[in-house]
Amino acid sequence: MKNVFYKSTLLFGFLFVIFSCKTSTGDDKLNQTLTNGTTEVSLFTATNGQLAFQVTKNQKVVLDTSLLGLKINDKHLGKNVEIALLEQKEIQIQYPLNGIKSEASYTGDLHTYKVSEADGTYWKLEFQLSNEGVAYRYVVSGQGTQHVQGEESSFKIPSQTKVWYFERDSDWKLKSHAGEWLSADISEMPTVSKMGPIQGLTLTCELPQGGYALLAEAALYNYSGMRLEAVGNNTFKANFEEGDAGFDVTGDVTTPWRCILLADTLNDLANNTMVASLNPAPDPKLFTDTNWIKPGKSVWHWLSGKYVDYKEEHDMVDDAVELNFSYNMVDDGWERWPNKWNKVTELSNYAKEKGIGIFIWKHSKEINFPEDDYTIMGQFLDSVKQTGAVGVKVDFMNGQSKSIISFDEALLRKAAERQLMVNFHGCQQSSGEYRTYPNEVTREGIRGLEVNHMKEGPLTASHNAALPFTRYVTGHGDYTPLGLTEPGETTWAHQLATLVTFYSPFNCIAENTQFLLKNKSIQPALDFIQTVPSVWDETFVLPQSKIGELAAIARRDGNDWYLGVLRSGATQEMIIDCSFLGDGEYTAEIFTDDIEAERIDLKGLNKEADLRQWDTAVPFKKRTETVSKDKTITIQLAEHGGATIKFIKK
């Protein structure tokens, strides 16, 4: 496996700031134009007097007239205002990344405007443009408690845009962000969901003129998480969990960045790092030493056994060693062990001797007490640290209100103080917090494999084929991949491919460890399962990819490459152009759907499985070829199938 350690000399990146200060003139009041390459942002007054903006790329509209402004302390800001450019500067940063690439490099132009209200008060509006998109945020100075009652922020999408959104037919939709990825025309968004017109972030837009726009937020701290309400006229408006009641912020109000990521191709979209780049660099006091943050794969008993006893978790450590994994994720149930803290200490000590780290689960409600700077949370984390465990999985935040976001950041900060890694579950998806707090090694906010255990499951192949271009664009996701004993409509090769197409520095593998180690049908892929990394040096999306239909993603680890292909739909032949490879020859270990073979009987393989009508699965077959970057490989994909190729540099 691959261990990637953050180096303190690189962790905080480097920042070059080039100032081009301007003073305001009478011509600076309104109708400002900002450009970066072929992207242009126009600032102006809408017909209702509200400050507004428009985004074009290649002279075609990406966002039509979209409003700006917010309501604080019963005052509507942004109407009948004057604006003046205070400062313009170039941002250049590079920093290490645990995920789709080993290093992110970002360059953007930051424009800061003074927005003057009719009563003489003012606030700041910041816009940042780069070749990865457009982002803006509001900064309202103040003392004491400021009461935020919402935003005017809106996003008007071009007609005939296909919007990808996540759907779940229950109130869990906006609690855990674990919905199925579906698509609809922008005109349908107010009524497409039984759960109402409010959608969670992100939203991926396939634009009618070609290319993609993805709506997201970045640097969500000391604020409530934004949702988007479809209000008609192809428009989404900022929405917050607190509703009309609003929420309090102490001191200055600095909103998260409201982001419109832009990409010409799916490769550009999957490699977009603007959301992470808009987050602050890590605090050097918290992350001076970062060798304790180690990516790796984890065993996990839950999918095949749910609530477990000490002996089973002890055995899971041995299985982690045999699988060449790094961690054992001890889920809900350990707190019912007699002398639980002593037992966790024994387990952690045993695991440490074997080179395995222990994560333990905790319900958020038992440590979410803000009094005295979350003293109870700190005491729990002290106990975890004393056992020798290396991380925590905290679950069931069930929302994104201001109070929950404050809890999340407190957990990351206090865990970092104790050199503990964090896995969030029951939460919203990422806004790039993992840059500021690299001890966040994964988070849920995704409809993952556990849904195959639920009545509303199993996962569809189209959901899987959409994930790399929707949920995963803004950050890692704890999908808990590899469900061979309960694959739903997908094939075994499809399941293997999720180890490449999805990414998570802490990659929690769902499948029963003994099944992986002992089932004869799995043995040809065991080395691949053991060696596939959890973080990557480089990512390339093959041009045949199409959201919800085909995700073909190559990722590099050192000199070797891995390719994962997820298919949704009928049987298909696919020709893989190997030009992404480096020079020289590679041994290609190719795992594809064995369409002609007898289907695998899944009954009895997993005592916890709810197989429904999908009680058999298409197996995989393995072949080996010698290839180079000027070659092609032809594969056959079964219905809802997949493929995985490991390219080993000779």
Side-chain angles (χ1 to χ4, degrees):
M1 63 159 287
K2 176 183 177 184
N3 284 335
V4 178
F5 303 137
Y6 280 84
K7 302 297 184 183
S8 59
T9 56
L10 285 177
L11 179 60
F12 312 111
F14 56 86
L15 175 64
F16 300 97
V17 181
I18 303 171
F19 288 89
S20 177
C21 299
K22 298 183 180 180
T23 58
S24 62
T25 68
D27 295 332
D28 286 331
K29 292 180 179 179
L30 286 174
N31 298 320
Q32 300 282 314
T33 300
L34 300 68
T35 60
N36 183 287
T38 62
T39 300
E40 184 173 284
V41 173
S42 300
L43 285 171
F44 53 91
T45 300
T47 55
N48 66 350
Q50 192 73 30
L51 188 61
F53 74 110
Q54 183 187 68
V55 179
T56 62
K57 186 175 183 181
N58 299 320
Q59 299 182 328
K60 294 185 178 180
V61 174
V62 174
L63 276 189
D64 211 334
T65 299
S66 300
L67 302 183
L68 298 165
L70 65 169
K71 184 180 180 181
I72 295 182
N73 303 325
D74 294 321
K75 183 177 180 180
H76 290 272
L77 302 180
K79 194 162 189 175
N80 300 320
V81 297
E82 295 181 354
I83 62 173
L85 181 64
L86 292 176
E87 181 180 85
Q88 179 179 335
K89 60 185 178 183
E90 182 179 355
I91 306 295
Q92 295 182 6
I93 54 175
Q94 287 180 294
Y95 55 94
L97 195 65
N98 269 344
I100 58 171
K101 59 183 75 172
S102 56
E103 184 177 82
S105 179
Y106 174 83
T107 300
D109 295 319
L110 174 63
H111 305 258
T112 302
Y113 289 92
K114 178 181 179 181
V115 184
S116 299
E117 298 287 328
D119 64 0
T121 61
Y122 68 90
W123 47 283
K124 292 180 182 179
L125 172 65
E126 296 182 345
F127 261 90
Q128 196 163 150
L129 282 69
S130 78
N131 64 349
E132 296 184 77
V134 173
Y136 68 88
R137 68 179 179 182
Y138 313 116
V139 180
V140 182
S141 298
Q143 296 180 347
T145 299
Q146 299 205 71
H147 191 60
V148 179
Q149 295 156 293
E151 296 182 16
E152 290 296 326
S153 308
S154 68
F155 307 84
K156 185 174 182 182
I157 312 297
S159 297
Q160 299 181 325
T161 295
K162 180 189 283 189
V163 178
W164 288 88
Y165 64 99
F166 63 84
E167 184 59 274
R168 193 173 188 181
D169 191 11
S170 76
D171 63 357
W172 282 100
K173 173 180 175 177
L174 295 174
K175 290 181 179 179
S176 62
H177 285 216
E180 178 183 358
W181 283 93
L182 304 172
S183 65
D185 186 85
I186 179 61
S187 63
E188 301 176 69
M189 294 310 298
T191 58
V192 72
S193 172
K194 292 181 180 179
M195 300 310 298
I198 299 173
Q199 299 292 341
L201 295 176
T202 58
L203 296 176
T204 298
C205 302
E206 294 189 63
L207 299 169
Q209 66 265 34
Y212 307 88
L214 185 145
L215 304 183
E217 69 179 340
L220 172 56
Y221 307 107
N222 197 32
Y223 207 79
S224 182
M226 184 176 72
R227 298 100 59 90
L228 292 176
E229 180 179 1
V231 295
N233 194 27
N234 298 345
T235 300
F236 292 103
K237 186 178 185 299
N239 176 279
F240 300 93
E241 185 176 326
E242 292 88 348
D244 294 337
F247 53 91
D248 290 335
V249 173
T250 301
D252 294 348
V253 173
T254 300
T255 72
W257 292 94
R258 282 68 185 91
C259 305
I260 307 98
L261 307 187
L262 300 175
D264 292 328
T265 67
L266 290 178
N267 182 54
D268 293 337
L269 184 64
N271 278 284
N272 195 301
T273 59
M274 187 176 194
V275 166
S277 299
L278 290 170
N279 279 258
D283 182 345
K285 295 180 181 178
L286 278 179
F287 296 103
T288 302
D289 171 23
T290 55
N291 289 335
W292 50 277
I293 303 172
K294 301 178 182 181
K297 298 192 293 293
S298 177
V299 297
W300 185 46
H301 195 279
W302 187 88
L303 202 77
S304 54
K306 292 194 176 180
Y307 306 112
V308 294
D309 60 27
Y310 175 81
K311 174 63 167 59
E312 289 172 321
E313 292 298 338
H314 192 278
D315 293 343
M316 290 291 282
V317 171
D318 295 333
D319 289 351
V321 173
E322 194 168 354
L323 286 165
N324 195 37
F325 289 6
S326 301
Y327 300 106
N328 177 17
M329 175 64 246
V330 181
D331 218 289
D332 185 14
W334 69 272
E335 290 179 282
R336 291 187 288 275
W337 297 349
N339 301 313
K340 60 182 181 181
W341 289 115
N342 289 338
K343 283 298 184 182
V344 173
T345 301
E346 290 177 17
L347 182 66
S348 297
N349 288 339
Y350 178 74
K352 186 177 182 180
E353 292 174 0
K354 301 284 187 175
I356 303 299
I358 297 296
F359 273 66
I360 63 173
W361 180 94
K362 187 66 173 176
H363 198 301
S364 65
K365 71 179 182 181
E366 297 175 353
I367 55 174
N368 188 3
F369 302 98
E371 294 77 14
D372 299 321
D373 190 26
Y374 295 92
T375 295
I376 292 176
M377 176 196 294
Q379 292 171 347
F380 167 72
L381 294 175
D382 285 339
S383 297
V384 173
K385 185 67 176 179
Q386 289 170 11
T387 68
V390 299
V392 293
K393 173 181 177 180
V394 179
D395 207 345
F396 296 118
M397 278 68 75
N398 298 345
Q400 56 190 114
S401 65
K402 164 67 166 53
S403 62
I404 292 173
I405 299 305
S406 296
F407 166 83
D408 291 350
E409 186 175 10
L411 178 65
L412 288 169
R413 172 172 50 85
K414 288 184 171 293
E417 290 169 351
R418 294 157 176 82
Q419 295 193 347
L420 291 170
M421 291 176 279
V422 175
N423 173 0
F424 282 116
H425 263 238
C427 59
Q428 84 285 358
Q429 58 182 284
S430 176
S431 67
E433 299 88 350
Y434 52 88
R435 187 195 171 203
T436 305
Y437 294 96
N439 59 321
E440 182 193 294
V441 289
T442 194
R443 69 164 52 212
E444 199 180 27
I446 193 170
R447 191 173 181 83
L449 204 66
E450 68 180 21
V451 172
N452 283 20
H453 266 1
M454 303 175 184
K455 292 181 179 179
E456 60 185 286
L459 299 172
T460 63
S462 60
H463 169 78
N464 289 345
L467 281 174
F469 315 116
T470 52
R471 164 63 180 85
Y472 277 109
V473 174
T474 62
H476 47 228
D478 196 20
Y479 176 97
T480 63
L482 198 60
L484 299 168
T485 56
E486 197 174 7
E489 68 181 17
T490 70
T491 68
W492 275 16
H494 183 115
Q495 288 295 315
L496 288 175
T498 62
L499 296 177
V500 178
T501 55
F502 306 154
Y503 71 94
S504 176
F506 176 83
N507 203 11
C508 189
I509 306 303
E511 191 52 82
N512 182 288
T513 53
Q514 285 295 299
F515 178 78
L516 294 176
L517 290 167
K518 295 182 178 180
N519 186 280
K520 292 182 179 179
S521 298
I522 304 302
Q523 297 315 296
L526 185 58
D527 178 73
F528 162 75
I529 294 169
Q530 291 171 322
T531 58
V532 62
S534 65
V535 295
W536 305 93
D537 294 323
E538 184 180 353
T539 289
F540 175 71
V541 178
L542 273 62
Q544 300 102 308
S545 299
K546 188 174 182 181
I547 304 176
E549 295 183 21
L550 184 73
I553 299 178
R555 303 195 196 269
R556 181 174 63 83
D557 172 47
N559 292 322
D560 298 336
W561 282 84
Y562 292 74
L563 174 70
V565 179
L566 303 177
R567 168 68 174 151
S568 171
T571 301
Q572 175 184 346
E573 181 180 270
M574 180 178 177
I575 298 175
I576 297 168
D577 182 345
C578 295
S579 58
F580 58 84
L581 296 174
D583 294 332
E585 291 188 329
Y586 293 76
T587 299
E589 297 179 351
I590 306 168
F591 302 90
T592 57
D593 295 314
D594 194 352
I595 300 173
E596 303 300 324
E598 182 178 352
R599 293 175 69 95
I600 298 289
D601 185 356
L602 301 174
K603 295 186 292 294
L605 298 183
N606 182 348
K607 64 181 181 180
E608 299 289 340
D610 184 359
L611 297 175
R612 305 172 183 86
Q613 70 265 37
W614 295 281
D615 57 3
T616 64
V618 174
F620 63 82
K621 60 182 177 180
K622 178 183 178 182
R623 73 178 195 265
T624 302
E625 296 180 10
T626 297
V627 299
S628 58
K629 66 181 181 180
D630 59 349
K631 302 293 186 181
T632 61
I633 298 174
T634 301
I635 60 173
Q636 294 291 330
L637 300 170
E639 181 182 22
H640 307 318
T644 300
I645 305 177
K646 181 179 179 180
F647 297 91
I648 307 167
K649 184 70 181 290
K650 287 190 173 183

